[in-house]
Amino acid sequence: MSELKTATVLPDVQSFDDGRQIPINQVGISKVPYPIQFTSCRTAGEPAQSTMGTFDMFVSLPSTVKGTHMSRFVQLLRDFRQPLDYCRTIDLCGELRQRLKAEEASITVRFPFFVKRTAPVTSEPGLLRLDIELSVLVNDQEDLVVRVAGPATSLCPCSKEIAAYGAHNQRCQLSASVRFRDLSDCLSIDELFVTMEQAASASVYPTVKRIDEKYITERAYENPKFVEDTVRDLALRFRSERRISWFCCSTENFESIHQHNAFARIEMDNDDHISVSNPRS
């Protein structure tokens, strides 16, 4: 009883007034590891996948308030027991805003996610790792950006053209961030990455036998692409996808005959114009 009585009279320092009159845009906790379950397509019956999330959780703070209540961020993760999906991540951020009585709240969660892939000839099954990031901002409105990154294969058109034997190829990293027009009619993580890997020279598979390796090698050779080609083909695919309102896509080739990587990026509003960034050396 004495402990409870003591706790009730402890000063709430965070709620003290602050005389500097400077508001804070974001304050909270970052890089918080927490186990989660995630499904990107709840309506299609996709089972929830257990994984490890890393959270950044922030709120805005008025100029008159000294500090935020950090323990409430972790309590929110503890209390939110439902599997996450696109909509529930927004709900989580909305609840954060409500608990902290903030004008604005944001949550970013990053986690590995595995999709099923079968080898192109033998159909050997396996799991391909993708890296996912969900970024949510809630104020008077709600905003969700879904980022997917995963591997593919690229083969150099220049090398194929000038070499007497073969062409150099390498693994590349495809990345795309998207906003959906309507979360009731959107793309699952797997659907997004299928769209992405179709823009590369060839796909990457977790399990391959020799006949699969032959197929993949020849597929890449018949489909050479610079990073410029891959990122433009990515943009064309997202540009024609009615469910996507905005996207930012990129590809990075881990060059096999250079000590540098090659990179290209396109950001586009599907109702606006296109802009290209292509640093090469």
Side-chain angles (χ1 to χ4, degrees):
M1 181 66 69
S2 59
E3 291 181 358
L4 291 175
K5 184 178 180 180
T6 301
T8 59
V9 298
L10 291 177
D12 183 4
V13 179
Q14 288 93 331
S15 298
F16 285 3
D17 291 339
D18 193 280
R20 286 163 288 192
Q21 295 296 303
I22 299 176
I24 297 177
N25 299 98
Q26 289 185 319
V27 59
I29 59 178
S30 64
K31 298 181 176 61
V32 183
Y34 209 85
I36 62 169
Q37 288 188 311
F38 177 79
T39 175
S40 60
C41 199
R42 193 190 340 162
T43 56
E46 177 185 279
Q49 187 175 131
S50 295
T51 184
M52 178 61 74
T54 301
F55 286 82
D56 296 338
M57 308 173 70
F58 306 119
V59 294
S60 59
L61 193 70
S63 62
T64 56
V65 180
K66 186 173 184 62
T68 191
H69 293 80
M70 299 288 183
S71 62
R72 295 180 188 176
F73 293 80
V74 182
Q75 286 175 318
L76 177 61
L77 287 180
R78 180 202 64 197
D79 295 341
F80 200 89
R81 301 182 183 276
Q82 302 178 79
L84 288 178
D85 56 27
Y86 298 152
C87 292
R88 284 175 179 159
T89 307
I90 295 175
D91 292 342
L92 182 68
C93 192
E95 189 169 341
L96 176 66
R97 180 190 180 212
Q98 184 177 6
R99 285 199 184 191
L100 274 299
K101 298 179 175 60
E103 290 188 5
E104 184 173 276
S106 62
I107 289 179
T108 298
V109 55
R110 305 171 186 87
F111 53 92
F113 188 78
F114 292 86
V115 293
K116 295 178 181 178
R117 285 291 181 272
T118 56
V121 180
T122 64
S123 296
E124 283 283 336
L127 294 174
L128 185 70
R129 173 182 167 149
L130 305 178
D131 291 308
I132 311 303
E133 179 181 289
L134 306 180
S135 297
V136 179
L137 179 68
V138 174
N139 40 46
D140 293 335
Q141 298 180 330
E142 298 173 343
D143 180 61
L144 168 70
V145 175
V146 178
R147 179 179 177 272
V148 179
T153 295
S154 65
L155 185 135
C156 178
C158 181
S159 175
K160 177 180 177 180
E161 185 70 23
I162 65 178
Y165 311 104
H168 82 84
N169 60 8
Q170 54 271 319
R171 192 164 71 247
C172 61
Q173 179 83 342
L174 306 175
S175 177
S177 299
V178 301
R179 286 188 175 96
F180 296 113
R181 296 187 190 279
D182 185 351
L183 288 180
S184 66
D185 182 23
C186 57
L187 296 162
S188 69
I189 295 297
D190 200 355
E191 289 173 321
L192 274 170
F193 192 68
V194 166
T195 299
M196 293 163 62
E197 62 185 349
Q198 288 173 349
S201 295
S203 297
V204 165
Y205 300 89
T207 309
V208 296
K209 308 296 283 186
R210 278 173 293 178
I211 189 65
D212 300 307
E213 186 173 354
K214 178 180 185 298
Y215 174 91
I216 297 166
T217 303
E218 292 173 352
R219 166 65 180 161
Y221 191 78
E222 293 167 355
N223 192 30
K225 294 195 177 187
F226 291 126
V227 288
E228 295 93 334
D229 299 314
T230 301
V231 79
R232 282 175 171 145
D233 286 345
L234 267 172
L236 284 174
R237 291 179 179 278
F238 286 136
R239 192 178 186 182
S240 63
E241 177 49 68
R242 62 172 180 79
R243 290 170 287 185
I244 292 175
S245 62
W246 168 92
F247 65 85
C248 178
C249 58
S250 67
T251 181
E252 183 174 15
N253 289 357
F254 308 121
E255 294 288 295
S256 58
I257 65 170
H258 307 292
Q259 71 171 2
H260 62 262
N261 294 342
F263 178 83
R265 172 182 173 274
I266 293 174
E267 181 178 351
M268 182 181 177
D269 190 314
N270 269 349
D271 299 321
D272 202 354
H273 65 280
I274 195 165
S275 61
V276 180
S277 173
N278 175 28
R280 281 177 73 96
S281 55

